[in-house]
Amino acid sequence: MSKQDFYATLGVDKGADEAALKSAYRKLAMKFHPDKNPGDASAEQKFKDINEAYDVLKDPQKKAAYDRFGHQAFEGGGFGQGRGHPGADFGNSFSDVFEDLFGEFMGGRRGGGAGRSAARRGADLKYSLNVSLEEAFSGKEETIRVSAHASCGDCHGSGAKEGSQPQTCPNCRGTGQTRMQQGFFVVQKTCGNCQGAGQVISDPCRTCSGAGRVQKDKTLSVKIPAGVEDGNRIRLSGEGEAGVRGGPTGDLYIFVSVNPHQLFKRNAENIYCQVPILMTDAVLGGEIIVPTVGGKRAKVKIPAGTQAGKQFRLRGKGMPIINSSRVGDMIIIAEIETPVNLTRAQKDMLKKFAEIESKSWSPKSSNFFSKMKEFWGDLTD
């Protein structure tokens, strides 16, 4: 049976460049890989075909010969036996392709492993900080204490006793991984001798027992900006865990929580405050003094006829906005206070007022009862 055209096998045009060939191969190799199709003979054959096609087309010399002579270029010595034949070096060729395609699932590609695995970045740390609304308004300088791994001062983070150095792992030769080839498949796993570090320490530092790090407490000063909001995160670069074997230090993230306030409620840069207003002030008008989140006082003029829920906006009396010169507003919400514990004289005065009250003085009430009468007129027993 004649072989299928290599370009057709990969599903690309004859003029496909290296990137297109590699992309097509990746997709097909993932689809027909034997591990994903156990016991499927047709998938296994397809997997072999696409690897043979890619082995030829990824090599400029082989590709040029194939474009000119087709499959005959590799038959009967046409292109030359040995390394020229598409299958002659298939084991090594496919190993490279396989590592390139599946390396991320096997701990990385070969080569350069010791540098990446021996030195690792330290972990990031999280610290929760609670502040009051007043502190969030004005900002503050806070001192915190955290416990983290720091680089060992005696071995300078190497883990080896002073005067000695870590040695290249003889088992993995510094790669941090061991490789085992089964047919044309290559299996990689973390080296059990050095645990992936690529190095072994024969004479460990006594202070850190070879870890290169020691646990320490440290005190830090944190600047909380004015206007900070609940859930904001502050990053202190390089204040996290020390890196392993000379790796960079992680960061410290401070998560800010703003405590609830007994008078004020915050919505972004605006502050809301519900203020009780005397019934007489609501009816006749007046002036009240209210506190602000900044610790000062502000006057609010109450116009005659103020209804419950009426809002008064005090410009620039809210929260600062981070990285801006703008400031939010304070919103006063009127709560009309109904008198209680009235004296007999006060009750008599209110009764007289009720007797002479005109419904036109109560627009909401008048409108409601007017609609209610219309509603009742449509009802039947």
Side-chain angles (χ1 to χ4, degrees), residues 24 60 69 108 116 153 193 226 242 258 264 280 309 317 319 328 361 372:
F69 300 108
R116 289 196 305 271
N193 187 48
V258 180
F264 306 120
T280 51
K317 299 295 184 182
M319 297 292 292
W361 296 348
M372 189 171 65

Side-chain angles (χ1 to χ4, degrees), residues 140-159:
K140 65 176 299 189
E141 192 95 5
E142 181 76 8
T143 299
I144 64 173
R145 191 176 181 84
V146 295
S147 179
H149 283 106
S151 180
C152 177
D154 290 346
C155 66
H156 308 291
S158 70

Side-chain angles (χ1 to χ4, degrees), residues 359 366-379:
K359 289 181 180 176
S366 177
N367 186 45
F368 173 78
F369 285 110
S370 175
K371 291 182 178 180
M372 189 171 65
K373 284 181 179 180
E374 293 177 5
F375 177 72
W376 277 346
D378 294 334
L379 295 180

Side-chain angles (χ1 to χ4, degrees), residues 217-297:
D217 291 338
K218 58 182 176 179
T219 301
L220 301 171
S221 181
V222 184
K223 186 175 181 180
I224 308 300
V228 67
E229 294 189 51
D230 189 72
N232 278 173
R233 187 180 68 175
I234 300 172
R235 174 173 171 259
L236 298 184
S237 180
E239 296 295 351
E241 298 272 19
V244 178
R245 305 287 172 84
T249 306
D251 299 329
L252 172 63
Y253 290 92
I254 299 173
F255 290 81
V256 179
S257 295
V258 180
N259 297 328
H261 197 275
Q262 58 181 350
L263 289 181
F264 306 120
K265 290 189 180 297
R266 180 180 182 179
N267 184 5
E269 69 272 17
N270 293 328
I271 293 292
Y272 290 80
C273 182
Q274 290 185 317
V275 178
I277 297 174
L278 294 176
M279 183 186 70
T280 51
D281 285 340
V283 173
L284 303 176
E287 190 175 78
I288 60 173
I289 304 296
V290 297
T292 66
V293 69
K296 297 181 180 181
R297 298 179 180 181

Side-chain angles (χ1 to χ4, degrees), residues 273-334:
C273 182
Q274 290 185 317
V275 178
I277 297 174
L278 294 176
M279 183 186 70
T280 51
D281 285 340
V283 173
L284 303 176
E287 190 175 78
I288 60 173
I289 304 296
V290 297
T292 66
V293 69
K296 297 181 180 181
R297 298 179 180 181
K299 292 181 180 180
V300 181
K301 187 175 181 180
I302 306 299
T306 294
Q307 302 296 312
K310 171 70 176 178
Q311 295 186 359
F312 303 92
R313 183 179 293 270
L314 303 181
R315 301 284 182 183
K317 299 295 184 182
M319 297 292 292
I321 300 175
I322 296 179
N323 298 326
S324 172
S325 59
R326 296 187 299 114
V327 180
D329 301 332
M330 182 174 178
I331 314 298
I332 301 299
I333 305 172

